[in-house]
Amino acid sequence: MTSVSHAPHSLPSYLNPDELGPWGIYLQQVDRVAPYLGSLSRWLETLKRPKRLLIVDVPIQMDNGTMAHFEGYRVQHNTSRGPGKGGVRFHQDVTLSEVMALSAWMSVKNAAVNLPFGGAKGGIRVDPRQLSVGELERITRRYTSEIGVIIGPTKDIPAPDVNTDERVMAWMMDTYSMNEGSTATGVVTGKPLALGGSLGRREATGRGVFTVGEAAANHLGLDIAQARLAVQGFGNVGAIAAQLFVEAGAKLVAVQDHSDTLYNPAGLNVAQLQAHVKSTGAIAGFASGESIKPAQFWEVDCDILIPAALEQQITEANAPKIRARMVIEGANGPTTPQADDILAERQILVIPDVMANAGGVTVSYFEWVQDFSSFFWSEEEINARLVKIMREAFAHIWQTAQTHQVSLRTATFIVACTRILQARQLRGLYP
Ligand code: NAD
């Protein structure tokens, strides 16, 4: 007779505790919420284990005739409240641990703004800047085919993330549809308008960042029209957030991307910078700002700091130097738990990723609903519904933070984890 070892709370074998990275950060965030979950904490272990992890080999033919292999992932963290939902990232540093954390943050985010979705995320470990357009299309299509066994309009719906865009979503939708034998527009969101995309989706994450920033500024007595802004990452999220703050009167005094860090206390011209990035692919070479060292970005004198690039950017090393009154996390996971504590001690308000950047998935939800009903809304309607959801969710989380005297991050986790675990408990344990 074989004996079975029961170790319900030990780490799954694929997780090396020494290399937990972003997933380790997520686990610490979940532990902080445990005392506030009452009897639901019985189900907490569910949140510490992704429901389903898929690692795929993605072989493609390169333009020079050789064959190259890339590693791809799709992780469905939790589907208690609905199908998995979350973006796909193409980046040379993508790891399983990172995709797991990003999928878990999607579960929390979707529950925080009360969308009927679970959390998922995907990625390929590749630097897409090294690929031709043809290679990019082939890698996207092969990856989509490989993860096709677990995605679908009612199962798991990918969307854009770092280095993926409308064009990549169009290829994903087409590949899935070809394999299924019928056009399935609802399999991905963030698609071009002509393929069932939604008005307002491209700007949605930045608009959500601005909406919660505006609400928080009211609480702090901070006048946005006088505010100085520093933004890390000038892609989809960072550039649109910067644009909306500047339209409201704020000054963009510093911006950083993978190519350079620019500083101009008189304010950088956002429209011109967007045009420069559109034509050159990066902020480097933009004439009207002084180029400073990357580390100096965090010390810039400003009122609002928006990390909108990658994870683990605000750390123990730079958190003591930050001069902003508020940090709005456009990126996912930009602040380590240690840095969170330092910012809290210094009374710098942090609006966490799982609340601040939920605007993108909210309009993705609208896109999915529109695709299912084949009836499309006006941009005004979309923006109005987005702003309403973001304001109401933020107000609820602000109130929760006051009630429990906790940070906005822990408050968001309290609201979201309660919703997820209530659903989990109501569904019960199968079989
Ligand atoms: P993007 O690819 O459009 O832009 C990424 C930006 O980050 C670029 O400007 C790039 O130069 C910069 N960057 C990359 N490496 C950097 C480095 N080492 N230092 C400084 N800057 C660097 O990506 P995006 O869609 O804007 O996503 C940015 C962040 O926002 C990610 O964390 C993503 O998960 C998160 N997010 C995106 C969405 C969305 O709808 N796109 C929604 C929610 C959250």
Side-chain angles (χ1 to χ4, degrees):
M1 201 171 84
T2 45
S3 74
V4 179
S5 93
H6 295 279
H9 298 295
S10 65
L11 277 176
S13 58
Y14 48 81
L15 291 179
N16 176 352
D18 299 330
E19 293 172 13
L20 284 177
W23 177 252
I25 292 179
Y26 162 75
L27 290 180
Q28 287 186 39
Q29 293 168 344
V30 170
D31 281 335
R32 286 183 180 196
V33 88
Y36 304 97
L37 294 176
S39 61
L40 286 173
S41 61
R42 166 169 178 254
W43 295 92
L44 196 64
E45 191 67 15
T46 319
L47 296 176
K48 296 187 176 184
R49 289 163 189 261
K51 174 187 171 65
R52 191 175 282 137
L53 302 101
L54 182 62
I55 304 177
V56 293
D57 175 37
V58 187
I60 60 160
Q61 180 153 18
M62 305 301 280
D63 290 347
N64 65 9
T66 61
M67 198 164 61
H69 289 259
F70 300 90
E71 192 161 293
Y73 313 92
R74 186 72 190 172
V75 175
Q76 294 168 350
H77 171 259
N78 190 287
T79 55
S80 294
R81 303 180 67 256
K85 183 92 193 80
V88 172
R89 178 173 294 195
F90 290 175
H91 196 275
Q92 61 277 16
D93 297 332
V94 164
T95 60
L96 180 62
S97 154
E98 180 185 52
V99 178
M100 285 164 54
L102 291 166
S103 71
W105 285 323
M106 286 310 299
S107 300
V108 174
K109 188 182 306 180
N110 290 330
V113 287
N114 217 358
L115 305 179
F117 288 134
K121 201 85 181 190
I124 307 178
R125 195 171 168 79
V126 61
D127 181 358
R129 290 189 179 87
Q130 307 297 323
L131 301 181
S132 68
V133 173
E135 290 164 345
L136 186 66
E137 178 170 354
R138 291 196 287 282
I139 200 172
T140 302
R141 288 187 180 278
R142 182 63 191 246
Y143 168 74
T144 308
S145 227
E146 293 295 340
I147 65 165
V149 287
I150 63 166
I151 63 168
T154 59
K155 286 158 75 176
D156 178 5
I157 306 112
D161 190 71
V162 174
N163 293 330
T164 57
D165 55 13
E166 288 186 351
R167 183 172 61 172
V168 169
M169 292 305 116
W171 290 329
M172 289 189 75
M173 191 281 263
D174 182 69
T175 305
Y176 180 85
S177 299
M178 285 294 158
N179 288 345
E180 289 294 301
S182 63
T183 297
T185 52
V187 68
V188 290
T189 56
K191 298 179 296 295
L193 270 183
L195 292 178
S198 178
L199 291 164
R201 172 61 186 91
R202 198 177 61 81
E203 301 83 6
T205 310
R207 191 174 299 282
V209 166
F210 174 73
T211 303
V212 295
E214 205 181 24
N218 276 339
H219 285 291
L220 294 184
L222 175 67
D223 180 5
I224 286 188
Q226 305 294 324
R228 293 155 309 160
L229 185 70
V231 179
Q232 186 200 36
F234 204 71
N236 176 284
V237 180
I240 302 288
Q243 178 191 327
L244 293 173
F245 273 102
V246 167
E247 280 171 12
K251 239 192 283 182
L252 177 65
V253 295
V255 63
Q256 177 176 80
D257 77 351
H258 67 279
S259 69
D260 205 353
T261 305
L262 299 176
Y263 175 63
N264 184 345
L268 294 150
N269 184 311
V270 173
Q272 284 173 11
L273 188 55
Q274 282 173 339
H276 176 84
V277 170
K278 199 170 176 195
S279 67
T280 67
I283 64 168
F286 184 65
S288 82
E290 178 198 345
S291 178
I292 57 172
K293 290 201 182 102
Q296 285 179 296
F297 172 78
W298 305 104
E299 300 166 28
V300 161
D301 198 6
C302 65
D303 304 295
I304 302 172
L305 174 65
I306 304 181
L310 299 171
E311 297 93 65
Q312 297 181 73
Q313 298 299 302
I314 303 181
T315 62
E316 273 168 293
N318 56 28
K321 299 174 187 158
I322 287 175
R323 292 158 84 171
R325 289 181 64 190
M326 126 165 118
V327 174
I328 315 175
E329 294 184 338
N332 286 307
T335 312
T336 66
Q338 294 73 23
D340 240 353
D341 292 341
I342 294 168
L343 295 177
E345 214 166 275
R346 299 186 56 222
Q347 300 193 336
I348 297 172
L349 183 72
V350 178
I351 310 182
D353 47 8
V354 278
M355 173 70 244
N357 68 35
V361 71
T362 301
V363 176
S364 273
Y365 165 57
F366 298 161
E367 180 176 333
W368 182 74
V369 169
Q370 292 171 85
D371 286 339
F372 264 106
S373 59
S374 296
F375 180 76
F376 292 86
W377 313 344
S378 71
E379 190 160 3
E380 292 70 36
E381 199 171 350
I382 284 158
N383 288 344
R385 285 180 196 246
L386 167 65
V387 168
K388 182 170 185 287
I389 287 181
M390 293 298 287
R391 281 194 186 146
E392 287 176 2
F394 183 77
H396 183 42
I397 279 154
W398 185 274
Q399 190 51 53
T400 305
Q402 301 297 314
T403 305
H404 295 288
Q405 287 298 299
V406 292
S407 68
L408 289 179
R409 191 184 314 280
T410 299
T412 310
F413 270 72
I414 292 173
V415 169
C417 295
T418 301
R419 286 182 179 146
I420 298 168
L421 298 182
Q422 272 169 348
R424 188 74 197 78
Q425 179 161 275
L426 285 166
R427 288 177 68 157
L429 195 58
Y430 175 88

